[in-house]
Amino acid sequence: MDEVEWMPRQPKAKDLRVGLISWAGSYLTFETYKNTVTATAKGLGRRQTWEILVSSKHDTQAVVRLRSLQGFYLLCEADGSLCYGRPRTSHHGCFLIHFHRSGKWTLQCIISGRYLESDGEDVFCTSRTLSAYHMWTPRPALHVHVILYSPLNHCYARADPTMGRVWVDTPVPCLKECGFLLHFQDGCYHLETSAHTFLSHLDGLVSQPSTQTAFHMQVRPGGFVALSDGEGGMLYPQGARLLLSLGSDPHGGEEWLILQHCPTWVSLRSKTQKFLSVVYDVEVCAASEHITPMSLFQFECDNKSPTLQLRSANGCYLAQRRHRMVMADGHKLEAETFFRMHWNCGRIFLQSPSGCFLGIAANGLLVASATIPGPNEEFGIQLANRPFLALRGRYGYVGTSSQHNLLQCNMDQPDCIYLLPCRQGIYHFQAQGGSFWSITPFGSFRPWGKFALNFSIELQGSNLLTVLAPNGFYMRSDRSGTLLADSRDITKECVWEF
């Protein structure tokens, strides 16, 4: 397999999103009802998230427009005031971003030549003389569970808990060790592994975050980041084994990594408890009692459509072929690679483009033959590279707060929810201290229960899911900040990014 093909050639829209932090520590904010922009918010939410639309780019600068998630552009008017709306001319709303060595950005209005600045509350463009008030710190707005890709080496970073190191040596990011949690604290970033250790300046993995695990980040549009210790050392792959460590002499852009949301990999089990696996390069059968790399499939799904694509570790997609056979030899744009999902209490039926349901033939091969699904067409599905969840809803992450005894859904940073599978599609949710999630009679949650409860997870998109709680209702985010399970139907507040 050509490893380069695994990496998308064009960045996704969510990879171009950032929050912009002023000198005062507040975020550039889209004010929905005031037709204006401020810098008063202290956290990164939907109204503080901006898509960076690049029209031209060079090493140290780029011409861009900033668009809110609501679809409106940041516009600078002739009097220096800022508003949002639609550009009236080809240059209206265009800014020249200067990338500074400190990692900060300045945004200069193309038309007036004035810089975007804040007084700690209001935002305006009135000065052509650069000062500290014009400096903005970009913070990537993608979900905190990420993977790191080296475009120069065509490989992903992988934590090695046995050696206590991070290597950039994995062409296909299907392992849980390829996922990292990116924590933002006091203007710096901490990289936490799936085993909950932290990458330190001394190249090793340590158990607790500290000043030795804090990295400064330079951000470029398109998901490119470079991490440093703030004292001249840059983080990049080194040596024959490509150890990710600090050095002072990167060559040819070695220090630039592409930051992406951690993909979802799943395993599928037949009614005989055998895992679907790719054998002989392209055949798919249910024959293995143990998970191997060829039993893992990347779950790719547009949440606007109930269709699914499953990508094997060989780089190809499952596709329906002649004689109703399903083979792992499809390409992304082929119609035969799209399967319709039907969920049933955490288990899944897959319907092929021909209308037939996927099932297991007598010889163990995967075929599309049944017009009415039965037990032979029902598959257990389990998250393969996610030992825990970090859930983000419409108002923030799910986590605990010292000010509340109930779980909240408006946090700036998530608490990890450890997944204890009890049967296919059903999980116990365990809190970070080892206790279990409990549910109150009002549908709210506490993280210190003594007994494990059953939660059903249904995947709704490539990185989206819904949770059916033990009380029979869907879990949702509430504007008040309290996490609730009281929805009979799946609404926007019931869909979680993970």
Side-chain angles (χ1 to χ4, degrees):
M1 178 184 64
D2 186 354
E3 294 90 344
V4 180
E5 291 185 359
W6 202 268
M7 184 68 193
R9 288 178 172 82
Q10 296 296 328
K12 298 179 180 178
K14 65 182 181 181
D15 298 328
L16 301 170
R17 294 173 183 169
V18 300
L20 291 172
I21 308 172
S22 73
W23 61 272
S26 54
Y27 288 79
L28 186 69
T29 300
F30 171 89
E31 298 291 354
T32 309
Y33 304 109
K34 301 177 183 178
N35 190 30
T36 189
V37 178
T38 65
T40 56
K42 296 300 181 183
L44 177 58
R46 290 179 59 81
R47 292 189 297 114
Q48 292 77 40
T49 300
W50 300 87
E51 288 185 13
I52 307 298
L53 305 180
V54 181
S55 57
S56 65
K57 182 171 64 173
H58 303 284
D59 288 342
T60 59
Q61 60 188 33
V63 177
V64 305
R65 279 193 169 103
L66 276 66
R67 185 171 64 190
S68 71
L69 294 186
Q70 293 75 16
F72 295 103
Y73 293 83
L74 180 66
L75 304 175
C76 179
E77 303 297 15
D79 61 357
S81 64
L82 288 167
C83 63
Y84 57 79
R86 305 289 182 186
R88 296 188 295 271
T89 66
S90 60
H91 289 94
H92 192 209
C94 285
F95 292 87
L96 178 64
I97 292 183
H98 296 270
F99 306 118
H100 296 268
R101 288 181 177 272
S102 62
K104 297 186 182 332
W105 291 0
T106 51
L107 292 95
Q108 188 177 19
C109 176
I110 290 288
I111 295 175
S112 68
R114 299 187 178 101
Y115 290 96
L116 183 72
E117 66 178 297
S118 168
D119 60 5
E121 293 184 0
D122 296 322
V123 183
F124 39 86
C125 275
T126 57
S127 176
R128 290 188 177 91
T129 304
L130 195 60
S131 72
Y133 297 105
H134 303 118
M135 296 291 174
W136 297 85
T137 302
R139 176 185 173 185
L142 80 170
H143 191 280
V144 299
H145 202 170
V146 300
I147 53 176
L148 294 164
Y149 177 75
S150 169
L152 208 63
N153 298 291
H154 308 308
C155 282
Y156 293 85
R158 174 185 62 88
D160 183 346
T162 304
M163 299 289 292
R165 296 287 188 269
V166 175
W167 314 100
V168 184
D169 63 355
T170 305
V172 180
C174 60
L175 305 173
K176 66 181 181 181
E177 289 83 7
C178 292
F180 297 85
L181 290 173
L182 187 67
H183 296 283
F184 181 72
Q185 184 177 2
D186 299 327
C188 291
Y189 294 84
H190 302 260
L191 271 178
E192 182 181 358
T193 71
S194 61
H196 304 294
T197 55
F198 294 83
L199 181 62
S200 80
H201 295 177
L202 303 177
D203 307 337
L205 299 175
V206 296
S207 59
Q208 296 294 329
S210 68
T211 55
Q212 287 297 302
T213 66
F215 291 91
H216 298 263
M217 181 184 287
Q218 294 186 44
V219 180
R220 297 289 186 272
F224 288 89
V225 300
L227 296 166
S228 70
D229 61 1
E231 298 177 356
M234 301 297 298
L235 197 66
Y236 59 97
Q238 300 180 54
R241 291 196 59 187
L242 299 176
L243 172 68
L244 189 62
S245 60
L246 285 173
S248 58
D249 192 26
H251 295 286
E254 286 178 309
E255 72 275 22
W256 290 105
L257 303 170
I258 296 178
L259 194 67
Q260 288 186 312
H261 195 162
C262 185
T264 301
W265 288 78
V266 299
S267 61
L268 295 164
R269 254 182 175 174
S270 68
K271 70 172 185 177
T272 60
Q273 300 302 304
K274 300 292 181 64
F275 289 100
L276 285 189
S277 302
V278 178
V279 297
Y280 306 117
D281 294 331
V282 295
E283 290 186 356
V284 185
C285 69
S288 176
E289 296 181 355
H290 304 284
I291 291 182
T292 69
M294 298 311 293
S295 308
L296 304 180
F297 299 91
Q298 187 173 340
F299 189 99
E300 297 185 13
C301 174
D302 181 355
N303 64 311
K304 298 177 182 178
S305 167
T307 57
L308 160 72
Q309 289 180 296
L310 291 170
R311 191 180 189 187
S312 167
N314 69 2
C316 295
Y317 292 84
L318 298 195
Q320 182 182 354
R321 298 306 187 202
R322 290 184 301 173
H323 310 299
R324 298 181 177 180
M325 294 289 293
V326 177
M327 311 289 281
D329 63 354
H331 301 284
K332 187 172 182 63
L333 299 180
E334 279 189 89
E336 291 78 11
T337 64
F338 289 88
F339 299 91
R340 190 177 182 89
M341 295 184 292
H342 301 271
W343 286 96
N344 180 29
C345 299
R347 301 174 74 86
I348 193 171
F349 296 101
L350 296 174
Q351 190 175 17
S352 71
S354 68
C356 293
F357 290 85
L358 271 59
I360 305 301
N363 59 3
L365 292 175
L366 185 65
V367 296
S369 59
T371 55
I372 299 175
N376 191 53
E377 287 71 44
E378 189 176 53
F379 293 93
I381 184 168
Q382 192 166 312
L383 296 171
N385 67 329
R386 302 296 182 97
F388 58 83
L389 295 177
L391 296 180
R392 181 165 71 172
R394 290 183 66 80
Y395 309 112
Y397 288 99
V398 172
T400 53
S401 167
S402 59
Q403 300 173 354
H404 302 87
N405 62 2
L406 299 173
L407 281 165
Q408 301 296 295
C409 59
N410 61 353
M411 306 300 292
D412 187 63
Q413 299 282 339
D415 285 1
C416 289
I417 306 164
Y418 297 95
L419 298 176
L420 304 180
C422 55
R423 58 183 186 270
Q424 296 296 315
I426 307 296
Y427 296 86
H428 300 320
F429 281 10
Q430 190 174 40
Q432 287 179 296
S435 57
F436 294 97
W437 276 32
S438 65
I439 188 168
T440 72
F442 305 102
S444 53
F445 296 92
R446 292 191 175 100
W448 53 72
K450 293 182 179 180
F451 305 102
L453 302 177
N454 291 342
F455 292 81
S456 175
I457 290 177
E458 295 182 357
L459 299 177
Q460 303 294 336
S462 295
N463 285 100
L464 300 173
L465 58 77
T466 53
V467 178
L468 192 63
N471 64 356
F473 292 94
Y474 284 100
M475 197 168 77
R476 70 173 181 89
S477 54
D478 189 74
R479 192 177 293 273
S480 69
T482 302
L483 181 67
L484 296 173
D486 61 1
S487 181
R488 294 185 183 276
D489 302 314
I490 297 176
T491 66
K492 288 182 179 180
E493 292 184 331
C494 298
V495 179
W496 300 90
E497 190 180 10
F498 71 100

